[in-house]
Amino acid sequence: MNIDDLMALAKRRGLFWPGAEIYGGASGVYDYGDVGALLKRNWESLWLSFFVDTNPDYHLIEGANIMPEAPLVSSGHASRFNDVIVGCSKCKSFYRADVLLGDAGVKISEGASAEQMGRALEENKVKCQSCRSTAWLPAKAFNMMIDVSLGPEKGDKGYLRPETAQSAYLNFFREFNILRKTLPLGLAIIGRAYRNEISPRQGLYRMRELVQAELQIFFDPENWRVDFGAVSGRKVNVHLYGKGADEKMTLQELVTKHGIPEFYAYHIGLIDVFYRDVLGVPEERIRFLEKGGDEKAFYNKVHMDIEVNVESWGGFKEVGGLHYRGDYDLTQHTKGSQQDHSVTIAERKFMPNVLELSFGVDRNVWMLIDVFYKKDGDRSVLKIRPFLAPYKAAIFSLQKEPEIDKMVETVYKELRPHFKVFLDQSGSIGRRYARMDEIGTPFCITVDYDSVSKGSDKFGTVTVRSRDDKAQVRLKIGELKDYISKATSFNAYGAFGFN
Amino acid sequence: MNIDDLMALAKRRGLFWPGAEIYGGASGVYDYGDVGALLKRNWESLWLSFFVDTNPDYHLIEGANIMPEAPLVSSGHASRFNDVIVGCSKCKSFYRADVLLGDAGVKISEGASAEQMGRALEENKVKCQSCRSTAWLPAKAFNMMIDVSLGPEKGDKGYLRPETAQSAYLNFFREFNILRKTLPLGLAIIGRAYRNEISPRQGLYRMRELVQAELQIFFDPENWRVDFGAVSGRKVNVHLYGKGADEKMTLQELVTKHGIPEFYAYHIGLIDVFYRDVLGVPEERIRFLEKGGDEKAFYNKVHMDIEVNVESWGGFKEVGGLHYRGDYDLTQHTKGSQQDHSVTIAERKFMPNVLELSFGVDRNVWMLIDVFYKKDGDRSVLKIRPFLAPYKAAIFSLQKEPEIDKMVETVYKELRPHFKVFLDQSGSIGRRYARMDEIGTPFCITVDYDSVSKGSDKFGTVTVRSRDDKAQVRLKIGELKDYISKATSFNAYGAFGFN
């Protein structure tokens, strides 16, 4: 699928579409429909149960989206959260310079200055994508934060937070004191972040309003024991900084040969388990891309992008990141807030370090559809794992009969307290199956004449058709709940060495 | 408790506190801590399972917080979402005129004009709350929306949505077409809304960034059958427009004697069930306040505030609303978007009407703490119903012993896949109980010497202490899951006539 195919599917099947669509659609903001909201929530719940709820020292919090200016001065966002933009002097179209250069096949470092990018545009005679002119206004730094003015005279300046991470850093001090002053301490947030993207595009890839799932782990850099042995032998695809190609190596090799800290390699392992073993993304489609030099944020000690090969985005694209941020964040907020964030544990005073696990929720939803939407003969099936499916089952009536309708209702009421069920009473049975296949519903339950015919040996039973192999079984109504629950639930705890 | 007491409790116990607190706190925006985020999510899940998931025609969606200008011109927010503000000419403090008048004991209609409010301030010699001056600048209308400027030249004007409702209205057209073109259709949203409040105050009452849980039901005004008989005999507290006092009457009387539509009265019943029977708010603390005349929004055909008597807010305060909005919303968006929103069902063409169930999530969280936080002898206990409790159980070790620690871990791992469990290993047992009492944890499990002494008849058992009566029972580890699950879970389906 290309971007247009995927977006058309998303609109047709209730997944997502541009915000304010009836007014022509807003740029870079999206709404989730009834099916998309369920899929997104399922991904979020899975993330939460896998990365956060498995550890008694990690907690979910929620932070406001509006932030005053001071903390974003401390964090560096007010001065440094910039992209280089350039405008066409003829038609006044504006572009992100790095995206424009990338589209033209010109390689440039993400950290290049405005001057460097401007020079590269001229030297390579890059054309305006609207009017084909090569006459550029001077490239300049452009702050990506969206600002708001509050109060009766609109004199209080604030920003929409550019990342959920800052909400965690701002709350570390209070949570550390509430949670018994021990480390590690994990603060997770699933919430919105905002960026004034110049050229929002590629569907849910580059958005002005996005949803992040981030876990900030605050730890003692001299004393953080992780169960590295549980994953050290695992082979992962990595692209190390300065190397020309992807390599497959064990996490132990990453530590021993490439100096990656053990706690960091352990979390590569966790993330790899999440994508490959839990979500089921094929091994060759996931890799960890190390950033170095001026490509990585200056405060990061180790920085890897989590990338998935997404056909509709044209190759490997970032869906998350793993960042060892050192003590940058708490040091900056200590200076800015005058509140000392260093801690004293076992008579040693130090500034906690931060390991950040960051995921773009919208990008992950898009990725799931791209990777798991398959042609299967004449069918189109979203073969996501059953625990991710928006609806676990659909219930159809095969004929229009009061007795059948009544049994459909009975089955519906029996199942809905246990998992999401979709009721579909109209249209041909083939079209109803097709619809459920396209949104990944693992089971379709059909009530027919036999189900309600007292003489039939099928009385009180229904047909259950399975999404992936189209196999049909006949089950008693009382058997449905356990049959479907067993096949569609996920327990993060029993699996993957967490116990 | 007064506001300061409740806020102190909230800060001490991980519930909530002002955003960017270490920088002095942002005005009117709050962050939820580890305990508060769980309580808030539990309320949201309960709301969702009670009002939305019980009906196969109702669906949760998600809408972006940033909206372009056009739909908010159509909805009337750009011109009419105003408060009257007034500034002190001496010290330049600004106030919402109605709040200032209310504080001074002057009665004025919510819909009064700037001129009327200005006159009322002068006539009653109302003083500035900062400098006691009575010299006011002219009162003026002030738009409450928070605007944003997007794009490379910041030329694209947008707003942070003032209510989640608009996201539902903007998506009705697509969802109606996806969901088989039938009515009623319910679109629910739990999300943030933004208002440039002049005087944010009273904790989570008047906020600049708030969370709403709203259900918009689109229906055919000539053909919407509700199961009114299931609730018609229920007595509720209402304060009808123009009446001097609260009255207790049946929903049937509301329909017969006061002309309230049946579908509307039915939803009063549902909401009353939610507050009294599900949340457990005492009957005398909840009432429905009808708005009329210039107090109600002009487009509402019937408008009632859902009020709870909240001690820390000084009496009955709005925690939600039930609004019969007629066809105002879809008619406006039809005009504004040029997209006809009328529908044709059974060969009749009409504009769907909207019934809105609107709830302030933050206000409801605050209300729960206010209503259910009790002194019980020398204890302070948050006696919320167990299914709302942030943690269902806590696990303590009574002594510091490797064998005991091991069993604590076993119990923790046994229970955590099934419900939220808090692990607390340090401090006196009394302080650990006190902490759990204050956040409403229904059960505290203690592992002691007997639990791990092979000779003891208590080997393999733990003490389970119940929050409300402090009664202790000794249970085998294998019995804990069912014992606690049974006492702390809620099934919206079996109860209250939904089946």
Side-chain angles (χ1 to χ4, degrees):
Chain A
M1 285 195 290
N2 63 30
I3 288 182
D4 293 340
D5 297 336
L6 202 155
M7 191 57 84
L9 169 69
K11 288 182 180 183
R12 189 170 73 242
R13 292 305 185 200
L15 287 157
F16 46 77
W17 42 81
E21 191 191 17
I22 55 171
Y23 286 85
S27 194
V29 301
Y30 288 84
D31 288 356
Y32 285 85
D34 61 302
V35 175
L38 289 174
L39 179 58
K40 174 174 172 288
R41 284 195 157 217
N42 287 349
W43 188 93
E44 290 170 352
S45 297
L46 191 70
W47 181 87
L48 200 58
S49 70
F50 185 87
F51 288 107
V52 183
D53 287 345
T54 41
N55 193 317
D57 300 318
Y58 297 174
H59 301 271
L60 182 75
I61 63 170
E62 273 192 39
N65 291 2
I66 294 177
M67 285 190 175
E69 189 170 28
L72 295 163
V73 170
S74 302
S75 70
H77 284 88
S79 56
R80 287 204 187 93
F81 193 62
N82 299 327
D83 271 343
V84 175
I85 66 166
V86 66
C88 168
S89 68
K90 283 253 173 71
C91 74
K92 310 295 178 211
S93 296
F94 280 83
Y95 302 90
R96 261 180 64 167
D98 60 336
V99 173
L100 192 61
L101 286 162
D103 287 350
V106 180
K107 288 220 164 174
I108 192 134
S109 158
E110 279 181 36
S113 67
E115 292 69 32
Q116 289 169 320
M117 296 217 188
R119 215 158 40 234
L121 285 169
E122 280 190 23
E123 282 167 6
N124 292 282
K125 298 196 173 56
V126 174
K127 289 182 182 137
C128 171
Q129 296 181 351
S130 282
C131 75
R132 317 304 296 160
S133 157
T134 54
W136 295 106
L137 296 168
K140 62 182 179 187
F142 177 78
N143 194 284
M144 306 267 292
M145 284 201 293
I146 296 174
D147 57 297
V148 291
S149 300
L150 302 168
E153 309 239 64
K154 301 209 173 189
D156 299 340
K157 190 168 184 183
Y159 293 100
L160 300 181
R161 66 178 175 199
E163 56 182 21
T164 63
Q166 292 304 322
S167 294
Y169 306 146
L170 292 178
N171 285 308
F172 168 76
F173 185 77
R174 181 167 284 285
E175 287 289 352
F176 178 74
N177 283 289
I178 289 173
L179 291 163
R180 300 280 195 243
K181 304 189 182 186
T182 57
L183 295 181
L185 166 64
L187 294 179
I189 296 177
I190 299 174
R192 285 166 191 269
Y194 302 82
R195 296 170 183 188
N196 188 6
E197 283 287 352
I198 302 317
S199 323
R201 56 182 198 166
Q202 293 188 286
L204 305 189
Y205 191 71
R206 214 175 280 291
M207 300 165 78
R208 287 186 173 160
E209 178 176 343
L210 52 138
V211 179
Q212 295 185 310
E214 296 193 317
L215 171 63
Q216 313 295 326
I217 306 170
F218 302 87
F219 65 98
D220 176 353
E222 293 183 21
N223 183 25
W224 187 18
R225 286 175 310 150
V226 294
D227 187 13
F228 186 57
V231 292
S232 59
R234 189 177 178 92
K235 277 196 173 178
V236 298
N237 293 325
V238 290
H239 190 121
L240 293 169
Y241 179 66
K243 299 286 174 103
D246 297 359
E247 297 168 81
K248 196 173 279 191
M249 68 178 73
T250 64
L251 296 169
Q252 184 65 60
E253 287 176 284
L254 264 181
V255 172
T256 317
K257 295 192 190 161
H258 299 283
I260 300 290
E262 246 184 44
F263 70 82
Y264 191 97
Y266 171 76
H267 285 88
I268 294 179
L270 271 196
I271 294 166
D272 196 60
V273 166
F274 183 70
Y275 278 93
R276 282 164 53 193
D277 301 359
V278 179
L279 299 180
V281 174
E283 186 179 349
E284 70 278 7
R285 291 183 77 156
I286 174 153
R287 74 171 180 192
F288 294 85
L289 174 69
E290 188 187 23
K291 295 280 180 81
D294 58 9
E295 281 181 1
K296 79 169 171 63
F298 71 92
Y299 46 77
N300 277 337
K301 289 170 182 281
V302 190
H303 177 152
M304 290 195 188
D305 286 351
I306 306 159
E307 292 196 329
V308 176
N309 191 338
V310 175
E311 190 190 5
S312 56
W313 286 335
F316 278 99
K317 286 282 185 176
E318 180 187 358
V319 296
L322 179 64
H323 312 129
Y324 175 25
R325 302 174 62 116
D327 65 6
Y328 175 77
D329 306 289
L330 296 189
T331 300
Q332 289 304 107
H333 286 303
T334 291
K335 287 183 205 155
S337 70
Q338 311 282 328
Q339 174 69 62
D340 185 4
H341 282 61
S342 64
V343 304
T344 302
I345 292 177
E347 290 173 31
R348 191 165 51 85
K349 188 175 172 184
F350 61 94
M351 192 65 80
N353 278 212
V354 169
L355 180 69
E356 173 183 65
L357 284 71
S358 174
F359 300 80
V361 175
D362 315 280
R363 290 181 179 187
N364 274 277
V365 169
W366 181 285
M367 176 278 287
L368 285 176
I369 300 167
D370 182 283
V371 171
F372 293 99
Y373 189 75
K374 315 265 190 197
K375 288 281 161 201
D376 179 355
D378 55 350
R379 297 193 306 152
S380 298
V381 187
L382 185 63
K383 294 200 171 186
I384 46 174
R385 296 216 161 153
F387 47 80
L388 282 168
Y391 294 99
K392 304 311 177 207
I395 309 177
F396 306 154
S397 52
L398 195 57
Q399 292 90 1
K400 195 104 202 96
E401 276 288 323
E403 284 297 295
I404 291 178
D405 284 350
K406 221 175 117 187
M407 188 178 279
V408 163
E409 205 183 317
T410 304
V411 174
Y412 177 74
K413 286 184 175 170
E414 163 92 13
L415 299 182
R416 70 176 179 182
H418 307 289
F419 39 76
K420 286 298 286 186
V421 183
F422 190 77
L423 206 56
D424 197 355
Q425 301 279 53
S426 65
S428 80
I429 196 83
R431 288 179 63 164
R432 282 185 270 173
Y433 277 144
R435 176 189 209 182
M436 288 301 124
D437 282 345
E438 279 208 331
I439 63 171
T441 308
F443 297 104
C444 291
I445 300 164
T446 305
V447 181
D448 56 24
Y449 278 129
D450 288 341
S451 308
V452 297
S453 302
K454 290 208 171 128
S456 166
D457 60 348
K458 292 175 180 161
F459 177 69
T461 69
V462 293
T463 302
V464 181
R465 179 249 204 194
S466 139
R467 178 192 75 191
D468 292 338
D469 58 9
K470 295 193 286 181
Q472 304 206 350
V473 293
R474 198 95 198 173
L475 293 179
K476 288 182 198 150
I477 291 175
E479 296 170 332
L480 291 170
K481 189 202 112 190
D482 285 347
Y483 182 81
I484 297 171
S485 291
K486 212 174 146 186
T488 61
S489 67
F490 173 75
N491 178 353
Y493 302 95
F496 315 113
F498 276 124
N499 266 322
Chain B
M1 283 195 291
N2 63 30
I3 288 182
D4 293 340
D5 297 336
L6 203 157
M7 191 56 84
L9 169 69
K11 290 182 179 182
R12 188 170 72 241
R13 292 306 185 199
L15 288 157
F16 47 77
W17 43 81
E21 190 192 18
I22 55 171
Y23 285 85
S27 194
V29 301
Y30 288 83
D31 288 356
Y32 284 86
D34 61 302
V35 175
L38 290 174
L39 179 58
K40 172 174 173 290
R41 286 195 154 215
N42 287 349
W43 189 92
E44 288 170 353
S45 298
L46 191 69
W47 181 87
L48 199 59
S49 70
F50 185 87
F51 288 107
V52 183
D53 288 345
T54 40
N55 193 317
D57 300 317
Y58 297 174
H59 301 271
L60 182 76
I61 63 170
E62 272 191 40
N65 292 3
I66 293 177
M67 288 191 171
E69 189 170 27
L72 295 164
V73 170
S74 302
S75 69
H77 284 88
S79 56
R80 286 206 186 93
F81 193 61
N82 300 327
D83 273 342
V84 175
I85 65 166
V86 65
C88 168
S89 67
K90 282 254 173 72
C91 74
K92 309 295 179 209
S93 296
F94 280 83
Y95 303 91
R96 262 181 64 169
D98 61 337
V99 173
L100 192 61
L101 285 162
D103 287 350
V106 181
K107 290 220 164 175
I108 193 134
S109 158
E110 280 182 34
S113 68
E115 292 69 33
Q116 288 169 320
M117 294 218 192
R119 215 160 37 236
L121 284 170
E122 279 189 25
E123 281 168 7
N124 292 281
K125 299 197 172 56
V126 175
K127 289 184 181 135
C128 170
Q129 295 181 352
S130 282
C131 77
R132 316 305 297 161
S133 156
T134 54
W136 296 106
L137 297 166
K140 62 183 179 188
F142 178 79
N143 194 284
M144 304 268 291
M145 285 202 294
I146 296 173
D147 58 297
V148 292
S149 300
L150 302 168
E153 309 238 65
K154 301 209 172 188
D156 300 341
K157 190 168 184 183
Y159 293 100
L160 300 181
R161 66 178 175 201
E163 57 182 22
T164 63
Q166 292 304 321
S167 293
Y169 305 146
L170 292 178
N171 286 308
F172 168 77
F173 185 77
R174 181 167 283 286
E175 287 288 352
F176 178 73
N177 284 288
I178 289 173
L179 292 164
R180 301 278 195 241
K181 304 188 182 187
T182 57
L183 294 181
L185 167 64
L187 295 179
I189 297 177
I190 299 174
R192 285 166 192 269
Y194 301 83
R195 297 171 184 188
N196 188 7
E197 283 287 351
I198 301 318
S199 322
R201 57 183 196 165
Q202 292 188 286
L204 305 188
Y205 192 70
R206 213 176 280 291
M207 299 165 78
R208 288 185 173 160
E209 177 177 343
L210 52 140
V211 179
Q212 295 185 310
E214 296 193 318
L215 170 63
Q216 313 294 326
I217 306 170
F218 302 88
F219 65 98
D220 176 352
E222 291 183 21
N223 185 25
W224 186 19
R225 286 176 310 152
V226 294
D227 187 13
F228 186 57
V231 292
S232 59
R234 189 177 178 92
K235 279 197 170 174
V236 298
N237 294 325
V238 290
H239 191 122
L240 293 168
Y241 179 65
K243 299 285 173 105
D246 298 359
E247 296 168 83
K248 197 173 279 192
M249 66 178 73
T250 65
L251 296 169
Q252 185 64 59
E253 288 176 284
L254 265 181
V255 172
T256 317
K257 296 193 189 159
H258 299 284
I260 300 290
E262 247 183 44
F263 70 80
Y264 191 98
Y266 171 75
H267 286 87
I268 295 178
L270 272 195
I271 294 167
D272 197 60
V273 166
F274 183 70
Y275 278 93
R276 280 165 52 193
D277 301 0
V278 179
L279 299 181
V281 175
E283 185 178 351
E284 71 279 6
R285 292 183 76 158
I286 174 154
R287 74 171 179 192
F288 294 85
L289 174 69
E290 189 187 24
K291 295 280 180 83
D294 58 9
E295 279 180 1
K296 81 170 170 61
F298 70 93
Y299 47 77
N300 277 337
K301 289 169 180 285
V302 191
H303 177 152
M304 291 195 191
D305 286 350
I306 307 158
E307 292 196 328
V308 175
N309 191 337
V310 175
E311 189 191 5
S312 56
W313 286 335
F316 278 99
K317 287 283 184 175
E318 181 187 359
V319 296
L322 178 64
H323 312 129
Y324 175 26
R325 302 174 62 116
D327 66 5
Y328 175 77
D329 306 289
L330 296 189
T331 300
Q332 289 303 108
H333 286 302
T334 291
K335 287 183 206 157
S337 69
Q338 310 281 328
Q339 175 69 62
D340 185 4
H341 282 62
S342 64
V343 305
T344 302
I345 292 176
E347 292 172 31
R348 190 165 50 84
K349 187 175 172 184
F350 61 94
M351 192 64 81
N353 277 212
V354 170
L355 181 70
E356 171 181 67
L357 285 70
S358 173
F359 299 81
V361 175
D362 315 281
R363 289 180 180 187
N364 273 276
V365 169
W366 180 285
M367 176 278 287
L368 284 176
I369 300 167
D370 183 282
V371 171
F372 292 99
Y373 189 76
K374 316 265 191 196
K375 288 280 163 199
D376 180 355
D378 55 350
R379 297 194 304 152
S380 298
V381 186
L382 185 64
K383 294 200 171 186
I384 45 175
R385 296 215 163 153
F387 48 81
L388 282 167
Y391 293 99
K392 303 311 178 207
I395 308 176
F396 307 154
S397 51
L398 195 58
Q399 292 91 359
K400 196 105 203 91
E401 275 288 322
E403 283 296 296
I404 291 178
D405 284 350
K406 222 173 118 188
M407 187 176 280
V408 162
E409 206 182 317
T410 303
V411 174
Y412 176 73
K413 287 182 174 170
E414 163 92 12
L415 300 182
R416 70 175 178 182
H418 307 289
F419 40 75
K420 287 296 286 186
V421 184
F422 190 79
L423 206 56
D424 197 354
Q425 300 279 51
S426 64
S428 80
I429 197 81
R431 287 178 65 163
R432 283 185 269 173
Y433 277 144
R435 178 188 207 182
M436 289 300 125
D437 283 344
E438 279 207 331
I439 63 171
T441 308
F443 297 104
C444 291
I445 299 164
T446 305
V447 181
D448 56 24
Y449 278 128
D450 287 341
S451 308
V452 297
S453 302
K454 290 205 171 126
S456 167
D457 60 348
K458 292 174 179 161
F459 177 70
T461 69
V462 293
T463 302
V464 182
R465 179 251 205 193
S466 142
R467 179 193 74 189
D468 292 338
D469 58 8
K470 295 192 287 180
Q472 306 207 350
V473 292
R474 198 95 199 174
L475 293 178
K476 288 182 198 150
I477 291 174
E479 297 169 331
L480 291 171
K481 189 201 113 191
D482 286 348
Y483 182 81
I484 296 171
S485 291
K486 213 174 145 188
T488 61
S489 67
F490 174 73
N491 179 353
Y493 303 95
F496 316 113
F498 276 122
N499 266 323

